[in-house]
């Protein structure tokens, strides 16, 4: 009989370790926090300070906003991802021959559309002090494959949601220099499912489901300065450490594996990455403006994840993420007193590496092409609209995972596939000054 302990260790390692991997942007970071910034490919970032969404990108630049400013809106994502099977297989205990996993291509696993709402407000307290508040969702996505997907032993459903509440403040040191920062009060909710192979390919698969959530706190700090026609900003957002607590359930295992059909409490530390940003804007007070932003992401925090099942020894699962960077360039032009047009491009590296890429993270390097407009309805209200297309590089998936390891029922599942895809984004927001 396969011991429950052996099965439980496998399930925690193979599934809970992927809590942090549902992907949309580079990794699973959602840059789409501003209907205005989308139009310039997030090249304004930490240096623009031209609407209330600067609370997220660099609160120090709030000092550029007079009175009370509100930005309400969001981005709608239409993500296409296609998996093509190129020889996925599984072994059978006691047989030296691997057999095809079989199944369909899983369809497009991304919900259509994916909505990312956001809300920001800033208020000038006096000539030196500003305060602000932001509500956003900086990480997460839903990936849900069709029943019978050939990669089902790797993943079926991955649902990661974060909600980030960010109270912030800024202090103007003088007319050309400001500092600011905020606290990130962050909630994370996770649901993951995958199939488990029974001993014979003729048997129906088992199912593993993991759910959990957590609250945690991080912080961010920034600086903003002006030198003639140049505005510069630097921002650092700390990593946020979560300890996800929830439930883990296995069902549908048959024969000698049936003792592994259990429900257990589980927890897993999850460290979301630090992000550093540097931005520059040239000609902030001119009809024609140029923007540039460079970002660094501390994705190597995901070299491994520790999993702590109740009653069992801590388990480790290697992740293999690498640190990455992105670079963006944008341009904006005032056509007249009411209408502004903008465009931008960005290169965004993926943190996944070939040896660890999976169907949970069908990710590749990304190139953005964007366009946007702002129309001033009045002196107090502006409407922002943006469109972006993201080209995602085609990548190979070739990985082998062990099931029921160190037991007579040990099975290996190998995924060989090609992933391709792209995405379209529609951004919109209303900027209001009171």
């Amino acid at each position: 009989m396969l011991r429950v302990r052996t099965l439980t260790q496998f399930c925690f390692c193979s599934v809970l370790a992927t809590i942090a991997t549902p992907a949309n942007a580079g990794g699973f970071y959602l840059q789409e926090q501003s209907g205005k910034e989308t139009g310039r490919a997030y090249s304004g970032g930490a240096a623009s300070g031209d609407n209330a969404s600067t609370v997220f990108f660099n609160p120090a630049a709030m000092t550029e906003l007079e009175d009370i400013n509100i930005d309400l809106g969001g981005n709608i994502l239409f993500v296409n991802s296609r998996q093509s099977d190129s020889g996925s297989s599984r072994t059978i205990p006691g047989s030296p021959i691997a057999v095809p996993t079989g199944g369909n291509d899983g369809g497009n696993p991304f919900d259509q559309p994916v909505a990312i709402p956001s809300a920001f407000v800033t208020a000038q307290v006096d000539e030196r002090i500003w305060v602000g508040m932001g509500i956003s969702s900086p990480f997460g996505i839903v990936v849900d494959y069709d029943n019978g997907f050939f990669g089902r032993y790797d993943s079926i459903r991955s649902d990661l949601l974060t909600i980030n509440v960010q109270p912030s403040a800024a202090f103007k040191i003088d007319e050309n220099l400001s500092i600011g920062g905020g606290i990130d009060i962050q909630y994370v909710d996770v649901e993951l499912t995958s199939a488990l192979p029974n001993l014979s390919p003729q048997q129906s698969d088992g199912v593993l489901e993991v759910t959990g959530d957590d609250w945690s706190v991080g912080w961010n700090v920034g600086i903003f300065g002006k030198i003639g026609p140049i505005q510069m900003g630097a921002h650092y957002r700390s990593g946020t450490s979560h300890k996800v607590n929830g439930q883990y359930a296995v069902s549908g295992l048959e024969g000698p594996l049936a003792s592994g059909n259990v429900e257990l409490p589980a927890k897993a530390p999850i460290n979301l990455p630090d992000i550093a940003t540097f931005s520059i804007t040239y000609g902030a007070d001119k009809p024609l403006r140029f923007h540039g932003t460079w970002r660094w992401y501390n994705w190597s925090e995901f070299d491994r994840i520790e999993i702590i099942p109740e009653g069992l020894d801590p388990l480790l699962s290697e992740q293999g993420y690498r640190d990455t960077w992105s670079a963006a360039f944008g341009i904006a032009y005032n056509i007249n007193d009411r209408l502004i047009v903008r465009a931008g491009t960005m290169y965004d590296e993926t943190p996944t590496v070939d040896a660890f890429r999976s169907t949970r993270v069908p990710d590749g390097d990304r190139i953005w092409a964007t366009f946007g407009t702002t129309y001033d309805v009045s002196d107090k209200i502006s409407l922002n609209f943006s469109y972006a297309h993201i080209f995602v590089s085609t990548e190979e998936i070739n990985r082998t995972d062990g099931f029921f390891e160190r037991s007579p029922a040990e099975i290996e599942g190998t995924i060989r596939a090609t992933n391709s895809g792209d995405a379209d984004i529609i951004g919109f927001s209303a900027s209001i000054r009171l």
Side-chain angles (χ1 to χ4, degrees):
M1 294 287 288
L2 177 69
R3 294 181 301 166
V4 174
R5 178 186 178 92
T6 302
L7 176 61
T8 302
Q9 286 178 327
F10 157 72
C11 292
F12 274 110
C13 283
S14 64
V15 178
L16 274 179
T18 60
I19 280 176
T21 58
N24 175 62
F28 55 98
Y29 175 57
L30 299 177
Q31 304 191 60
E32 297 84 359
Q33 304 303 325
S34 167
K36 189 173 188 176
E37 273 292 320
T38 299
R40 55 193 177 205
Y42 296 90
S43 60
S48 293
D50 54 6
N51 77 342
S53 67
T54 195
V55 170
F56 183 85
F57 299 104
N58 183 8
M62 289 192 294
T63 58
E64 291 296 287
L65 303 174
E66 297 179 350
D67 305 319
I68 296 174
N69 288 265
I70 300 170
D71 190 74
L72 301 173
N75 285 269
I76 299 176
L77 283 64
F78 299 86
V79 185
N80 297 305
S81 181
R82 297 172 290 278
Q83 311 290 327
S84 177
D85 189 6
S86 52
S88 300
S89 63
R90 57 154 288 178
T91 61
I92 302 172
S95 172
I97 301 174
V99 298
T101 302
N104 58 55
D105 65 4
N108 183 4
F110 290 91
D111 281 355
Q112 303 294 319
V114 178
I116 307 175
S118 58
F120 304 95
V121 59
T122 69
Q124 183 179 1
V125 178
D126 58 30
E127 293 182 355
R128 296 282 187 180
I129 298 174
W130 277 252
V131 295
M133 176 69 74
I135 301 175
S136 60
S137 179
F139 297 93
I141 204 66
V142 178
V143 178
D144 195 358
Y145 292 98
D146 294 342
N147 291 333
F149 172 45
F150 71 81
R152 60 193 178 274
Y153 299 133
D154 183 40
S155 70
I156 297 175
R157 179 177 174 84
S158 305
D159 187 347
L160 174 67
L161 167 70
T162 60
I163 299 174
N164 197 81
V165 179
Q166 183 189 327
S168 302
F171 179 76
K172 179 180 279 191
I173 297 173
D174 59 34
E175 288 304 311
N176 297 311
L177 185 63
S178 302
I179 57 174
I183 302 297
D184 294 296
I185 304 167
Q186 193 171 98
Y187 172 75
V188 61
D189 183 83
V190 178
E191 176 190 349
L192 301 169
T193 62
S194 65
L196 295 173
N198 270 299
L199 296 181
S200 169
Q202 305 305 315
Q203 296 173 292
S204 298
D205 295 322
V207 176
L208 172 60
E209 181 178 17
V210 177
T211 58
D213 61 3
D214 184 52
W215 285 92
S216 191
V217 177
W219 55 273
N220 66 94
V221 64
I223 187 170
F224 173 81
K226 297 186 286 187
I227 303 174
I230 298 174
Q231 293 183 176
M232 294 178 290
H235 182 249
Y236 173 80
R237 186 177 300 277
S238 77
T240 306
S241 297
H242 287 278
K243 183 168 287 187
V244 175
N245 289 276
Q247 193 73 20
Y248 137 94
V250 176
S251 61
L253 294 179
E254 302 176 8
L257 303 179
S259 60
N261 294 321
V262 296
E263 292 187 13
L264 293 172
K267 58 184 178 181
I270 301 297
N271 298 317
L272 300 181
D274 313 62
I275 302 172
T277 303
F278 175 76
S279 299
I280 186 167
T281 292
Y282 179 80
D285 59 346
K286 305 295 183 182
L288 180 63
R289 298 171 297 284
F290 299 92
H291 308 279
T293 288
W294 177 86
R295 290 184 179 89
W296 171 81
Y297 307 87
N298 189 25
W299 282 117
S300 60
E301 284 289 304
F302 288 98
D303 61 340
R304 63 183 187 178
I305 293 176
E306 183 181 24
I307 301 158
I308 308 172
E310 185 173 283
L312 298 176
D313 296 333
L315 307 172
L316 298 176
S317 177
E318 299 299 323
Q319 295 297 293
Y321 273 49
R322 60 176 180 173
D323 292 343
T324 62
W325 59 273
S326 66
F329 173 78
I331 189 171
Y333 180 69
N334 292 31
I335 292 180
N336 54 45
D337 291 342
R338 290 191 178 274
L339 182 63
I340 302 171
V341 295
R342 58 181 63 87
T345 186
M346 175 169 57
Y347 174 75
D348 189 14
E349 277 192 312
T350 175
T352 62
V353 296
D354 292 344
F356 293 93
R357 185 174 292 109
S358 75
T359 58
R360 288 197 190 271
V361 194
D363 199 18
D365 295 336
R366 296 161 187 265
I367 296 176
W368 293 52
T370 72
F371 171 80
T373 66
T374 293
Y375 181 73
D376 293 335
V377 178
S378 69
D379 293 340
K380 301 291 187 180
I381 300 175
S382 298
L383 300 179
N384 307 297
F385 173 83
S386 299
Y387 168 76
H389 183 77
I390 305 175
F391 303 88
V392 184
S393 63
T394 298
E395 301 290 347
E396 301 297 321
I397 300 174
N398 187 353
R399 60 178 291 150
T400 298
D401 294 298
F403 297 78
F404 321 126
E405 292 176 308
R406 300 181 300 278
S407 80
E410 182 170 350
I411 297 171
E412 285 190 344
T414 298
I415 298 177
R416 292 190 176 92
T418 300
N419 170 258
S420 59
D422 54 35
D424 293 287
I425 300 174
I426 297 173
F428 57 90
S429 68
S431 299
I432 304 166
R433 184 165 66 88
L434 302 178

